[in-house]
Amino acid sequence: MVPVSVISVVDELDFEQQPQYELLIRATDSVSGVYAEVPVSIVLQDVNDCPPEFTQENYNVSISEAAQFGTPVLTVLANDNDTGINKKVSYSILNDNSNSSEYFYIDENEGVVYLKQALDHEEASSHHFVVVAKDLGVPSLSSTAHVWLTVLDMNDNPPKFEQTSYMCGLLVNANRDQFVTIVKASDPDLVDQNNLRYTIVAGNEQQTFSMDPETGIITLTNLANFGSDKTIILNVSVSDGVYTNFARLKVELLPANLHPPKFDKVIVDVQVPENQSPGFPVAVVKATDEDFGEFGAVSYSIHSDLLSETFRIDKATGKLTTKARLDREKQKLYEVPVMATDGGGRSGFLTVRIKVVDENDNAPYFLLKEYQASIHYNHSLNVSFMRVRAVDADEGASAQVKYQIYEKKSSEVADIFEVNPDTGDISLKKSASSWVGEVFQFFVRATDKGPQEKHSDVPVNILIMGPKDFPPVFERKDDKYFLWENSPAGKDSRVFVDRRLIRFAGTVITKLKMASNVSVVYQIISELDERPQFEVDSQGQISLAKPLDFETQDSHLIGVLAMSDSSLG
């Protein structure tokens, strides 16, 4: 039996280190020592026991954001020490949360990484992804390498303003070089934003503003160049040296209360007919204010509480109207102070001087409620012995009075007496000797000369005296006196003495004196009121009966009749 020799492996074999072994096998006779040799060749079969190995664990590359689609970024290389199909390597990009496979593509055979789409430095300045090298053995083995890619910036973005449009206000009294506003822009391509440059490109033709090119600060150069418009629209630009962007700036002129309202005149004279219904237009006043906005808006008012009861003014239009009927006889002139006030409280003033135009709305009135006279039978003809007098509160022709004897029934009075139509003097037309002891009673009518004539009548009593009759005669026909309006009156001079009311006379005005030595009785005939203003006693002393009021009536006429037993005077 021939012995069998077995070759066995005593240590690990590594195809990659030594794919084949050449052995020399010797067989030796143990007795004779004779041997024989035979060569043995052992060829190892490769198994996939080596994963691909990248030449670099980390790849750091840079690429411009201007690189186009399909641009090769880098080439990765992995070696596999196996043989055959186990040596062949396939490349891929590992899926990750950054969606790297959307940006990059790798050639699976060549390991060349290409751009799948353009990169944007402003969106992502760097990318990181993992490439995988995988052999085709069974089972396959793989390894990975990291790629760090920096996206190089290029000036591909224009600068942008923080706002597409700006708005600011500027006071009308702003000073030169005063700050107006600031506009700011940014450029994602620039590391130093101070490299941006600002300019006013339109709307500043009058050089009203200036702009700092580095900071974007706008200041006032000359407010006078603002013009009549209250708004200026500026177009401003910002540039990074390559790209330029624009924005709109609206500058509004803000009002300031620099001027008060002004009227063209200090006094305006107008005329208003009396007795017109309330609401009658008087005048329209107009004030101007050089300011604008709320400070240029003017409102009107009457600067008098008292006159506001008679007149009204529209605060917006300045139309002045009446609130009550005007009576020229009570007040013929009004001076209405009108105030114009702007929105800032500054005011201007104007006086509207209103003359109340008369109409014939008053009848003449006689100064005495009756007239009495005593004349001798042989009184000269055509010589006045008495004068009646009437006045009219109207003016002009309406205040001119003419007189005539008026009788409701026909009598001989008009044949005996006559009255001067202009003066009111009464005289004899013919001898009165036939009527001794008789009393003639008639009326004198006073008629004004205004349109739609008005009149009033007064009774006249004339006694024809005989040769033995002597009428009372005053030493003085008339006189003038002055009193304070606070002079004590009769009603102020009453006291109680032992529970009895004792009345003292008021302020004494005068004491009448008679030139004739006859006994007389005095009577005040000038007052029609039930409560007379004045009173006269039996001694001819005239005193104040009730208080005076200067504002109601500043003068009084007191007519006194002295009567004897046998005559009237």
Side-chain angles (χ1 to χ4, degrees):
M1 180 176 182
V2 179
V4 177
S5 297
V6 177
I7 300 173
S8 60
V9 177
V10 296
D11 198 359
E12 286 187 359
L13 301 176
D14 188 345
F15 176 83
E16 286 71 31
Q17 291 184 3
Q18 188 172 344
Q20 182 174 337
Y21 291 90
E22 297 295 335
L23 303 178
L24 181 63
I25 304 300
R26 176 181 291 180
T28 303
D29 187 329
S30 59
V31 175
S32 63
V34 177
Y35 64 89
E37 295 180 337
V38 61
V40 176
S41 179
I42 300 174
V43 178
L44 299 182
Q45 290 184 344
D46 185 32
V47 296
N48 193 20
D49 61 345
C50 292
E53 293 183 0
F54 282 99
T55 57
Q56 296 177 225
E57 292 184 2
N58 296 289
Y59 293 86
N60 290 283
V61 295
S62 298
I63 188 170
S64 171
E65 64 176 337
Q68 299 297 315
F69 165 78
T71 300
V73 178
L74 79 159
T75 300
V76 296
L77 178 62
N79 296 316
D80 194 315
N81 292 326
D82 294 320
T83 60
I85 197 169
N86 295 331
K87 182 180 181 67
K88 190 171 184 179
V89 178
S90 174
Y91 301 96
S92 65
I93 295 176
L94 185 67
N95 290 329
D96 55 25
N97 294 331
S98 299
N99 297 322
S100 297
S101 59
E102 293 184 4
Y103 293 96
F104 306 99
Y105 165 79
I106 190 169
D107 185 299
E108 64 179 1
N109 296 319
E110 301 296 331
V112 180
V113 179
Y114 299 92
L115 283 181
K116 202 172 182 180
Q117 60 175 298
L119 303 179
D120 190 341
H121 171 82
E122 286 68 39
E123 289 186 4
S125 60
S126 64
H127 293 269
H128 166 254
F129 57 92
V130 176
V131 291
V132 178
K134 182 179 179 182
D135 60 27
L136 300 184
V138 179
S140 66
L141 299 176
S142 64
S143 62
T144 60
H146 293 268
V147 178
W148 300 92
L149 185 144
T150 300
V151 182
L152 300 178
D153 186 33
M154 68 168 293
N155 194 2
D156 61 342
N157 291 283
K160 290 183 179 180
F161 282 101
E162 293 177 348
Q163 301 173 214
T164 56
S165 63
Y166 295 82
M167 179 181 294
C168 67
L170 183 66
L171 283 175
V172 70
N173 58 344
N175 298 318
R176 182 181 179 89
D177 297 328
Q178 180 171 312
F179 173 83
V180 177
T181 190
I182 182 173
V183 296
K184 294 296 291 183
S186 59
D187 191 324
D189 295 326
L190 297 181
V191 176
D192 187 356
Q193 299 295 320
N194 292 327
N195 291 328
L196 295 175
R197 289 296 177 265
Y198 300 90
T199 310
I200 298 176
V201 295
N204 196 34
E205 290 76 9
Q206 300 300 320
Q207 301 301 310
T208 308
F209 306 97
S210 61
M211 187 176 200
D212 188 306
E214 296 182 356
T215 63
I217 294 176
I218 298 175
T219 55
L220 178 66
T221 301
N222 191 343
L223 187 64
N225 295 340
F226 214 96
S228 58
D229 294 334
K230 301 298 184 289
T231 301
I232 287 183
I233 305 298
L234 300 177
N235 286 330
V236 295
S237 69
V238 60
S239 174
D240 61 7
V242 176
Y243 296 101
T244 302
N245 208 339
F246 301 90
R248 178 177 180 268
L249 172 60
K250 180 179 181 181
V251 183
E252 290 186 338
L253 200 60
L254 302 179
N257 199 14
L258 304 179
H259 307 280
K262 291 183 179 179
F263 290 99
D264 292 337
K265 299 179 180 179
V266 177
I267 297 177
V268 172
D269 290 300
V270 296
Q271 294 184 348
V272 176
E274 66 175 329
N275 299 322
Q276 298 298 318
S277 300
F280 187 83
V282 176
V284 177
V285 299
K286 179 68 175 179
T288 57
D289 195 312
E290 295 181 27
D291 298 318
F292 64 95
E294 63 175 319
F295 299 124
V298 178
S299 62
Y300 303 91
S301 62
I302 296 175
H303 198 56
S304 168
D305 293 338
L306 180 61
L307 289 171
S308 293
E309 297 176 0
T310 308
F311 300 95
R312 174 189 295 111
I313 192 167
D314 188 293
K315 66 178 182 178
T317 65
K319 183 178 181 181
L320 185 66
T321 56
T322 60
K323 290 177 67 176
R325 292 178 182 270
L326 304 184
D327 187 347
R328 191 204 68 84
E329 288 68 45
K330 289 184 178 179
Q331 187 168 346
K332 60 183 178 181
L333 183 67
Y334 295 88
E335 293 187 344
V336 181
V338 175
M339 179 171 68
T341 306
D342 62 24
R346 303 188 73 169
S347 301
F349 295 89
L350 166 75
T351 297
V352 180
R353 193 158 53 193
I354 303 168
K355 179 183 179 182
V356 183
V357 179
D358 183 51
E359 70 173 23
N360 193 16
D361 59 343
N362 292 279
Y365 66 92
F366 287 91
L367 298 181
L368 301 179
K369 64 182 179 181
E370 62 176 319
Y371 289 84
Q372 299 186 27
S374 300
I375 63 173
H376 285 98
Y377 68 96
N378 59 351
H379 189 82
S380 300
L381 300 181
N382 300 320
V383 176
S384 174
F385 58 82
M386 181 177 62
R387 174 178 288 182
V388 296
R389 186 184 175 197
V391 294
D392 196 308
D394 297 318
E395 65 179 359
S398 299
Q400 298 176 12
V401 179
K402 57 186 178 180
Y403 303 93
Q404 68 184 82
I405 293 176
Y406 172 74
E407 291 184 280
K408 294 182 180 179
K409 297 181 180 180
S410 60
S411 69
E412 56 187 351
V413 170
D415 297 329
I416 302 172
F417 305 98
E418 67 178 353
V419 60
N420 187 302
D422 297 321
T423 65
D425 288 321
I426 299 176
S427 60
L428 284 172
K429 291 175 65 177
K430 66 180 181 179
S431 175
S433 58
S434 301
W435 292 281
V436 174
E438 291 193 27
V439 176
F440 291 90
Q441 295 180 330
F442 57 91
F443 288 93
V444 172
R445 171 165 290 184
T447 305
D448 63 31
K449 297 180 181 180
Q452 300 179 347
E453 294 179 347
K454 296 182 181 297
H455 67 270
S456 60
D457 303 323
V458 67
V460 177
N461 297 323
I462 301 175
L463 170 65
I464 307 300
M465 297 183 298
K468 296 182 180 181
D469 295 322
F470 298 98
V473 178
F474 289 104
E475 283 187 354
R476 303 175 67 175
K477 284 290 186 180
D478 55 61
D479 213 336
K480 184 180 289 187
Y481 302 93
F482 296 91
L483 287 180
W484 296 103
E485 72 170 330
N486 60 352
S487 299
K491 74 170 189 175
D492 300 325
S493 306
R494 301 177 182 185
V495 296
F496 284 92
V497 178
D498 295 332
R499 297 183 180 180
R500 291 182 300 168
L501 177 62
I502 305 299
R503 182 177 180 277
F504 298 94
T507 301
V508 175
I509 299 171
T510 188
K511 184 175 183 180
L512 302 174
K513 293 181 180 181
M514 304 303 298
S516 56
N517 188 19
V518 292
S519 178
V520 297
V521 175
Y522 299 98
Q523 178 185 348
I524 293 178
I525 59 172
S526 59
E527 297 191 318
L528 302 176
D529 295 345
E530 294 181 359
R531 295 183 58 212
Q533 184 75 58
F534 307 94
E535 58 188 1
V536 61
D537 62 13
S538 60
Q539 303 302 314
Q541 181 171 280
I542 300 175
S543 59
L544 189 60
K546 68 178 183 181
L548 298 170
D549 187 349
F550 177 85
E551 286 70 31
T552 302
Q553 187 172 350
D554 59 1
S555 65
H556 297 266
L557 175 68
I558 307 173
V560 181
L561 176 67
M563 296 179 294
S564 64
D565 293 337
S566 60
S567 65
L568 299 173

